Amino acid sequence: MSGISHHLLLCATASKAKCCDPTVGAASWDRLKQLVKQLGLEDPGRAAGIVLRSKADCLRICERGPVLLIWPDGCWYGEVTPERLEPILRQHVIAGEPIEEWLIQRTPMRCNQATAN
Ligand code: FES
């Protein structure tokens, strides 16, 4: 195994349902699970590393959902309908090119490394 390449967090069926229609959110979550499997993104032998997916109960954006956050890139996608998921996975996760027009926010991850003495 080559480690983890990305972690996808989707706010789709939040308990307070502030960012999207829960019906659309549930359909997006089902499509995400289907595509991750279909595209071999959770295959332990994937050279680039596996892709994790998690359903989040609110990512604190609360509008223009379903909201998808992709780590470690810090890219936040809005209005992630089932139809948008395949282009996002193919172009961003696999090819490494975020779809700029669908991004609603960027928060690059900062890692603090301890120095050994
Ligand atoms: S309810 Fe989806 S981001 Fe808050």
Side-chain angles (χ1 to χ4, degrees):
M1 184 168 121
S2 304
I4 298 166
S5 73
H6 295 85
H7 191 172
L8 315 179
L9 296 111
L10 182 68
C11 179
T13 56
S15 54
K16 292 186 181 172
K18 293 181 185 170
C19 71
C20 68
D21 175 343
T23 306
V24 175
S28 292
W29 174 244
D30 287 345
R31 183 66 177 143
L32 177 62
K33 289 189 296 184
Q34 180 186 52
L35 283 167
V36 164
K37 186 172 215 160
Q38 188 180 311
L39 296 171
L41 301 178
E42 52 190 9
D43 178 351
R46 184 172 185 255
I50 62 169
V51 173
L52 302 176
R53 54 171 176 73
S54 299
K55 185 159 58 169
D57 187 348
C58 187
L59 291 166
R60 306 291 187 261
I61 298 285
C62 303
E63 60 183 15
R64 299 180 61 193
V67 175
L68 176 67
L69 168 60
I70 299 183
W71 287 120
D73 306 341
C75 289
W76 302 70
Y77 286 94
E79 298 165 26
V80 181
T81 57
E83 295 73 27
R84 285 190 172 189
L85 277 161
E86 187 164 356
I88 290 170
L89 292 182
R90 289 189 183 277
Q91 187 174 322
H92 183 148
V93 175
I94 296 173
E97 298 171 10
I99 302 175
E100 299 292 338
E101 62 269 29
W102 293 348
L103 290 177
I104 56 175
Q105 184 170 302
R106 278 183 183 263
T107 52
M109 180 181 270
R110 289 184 303 175
C111 295
N112 296 322
Q113 293 183 323
T115 53
N117 290 332

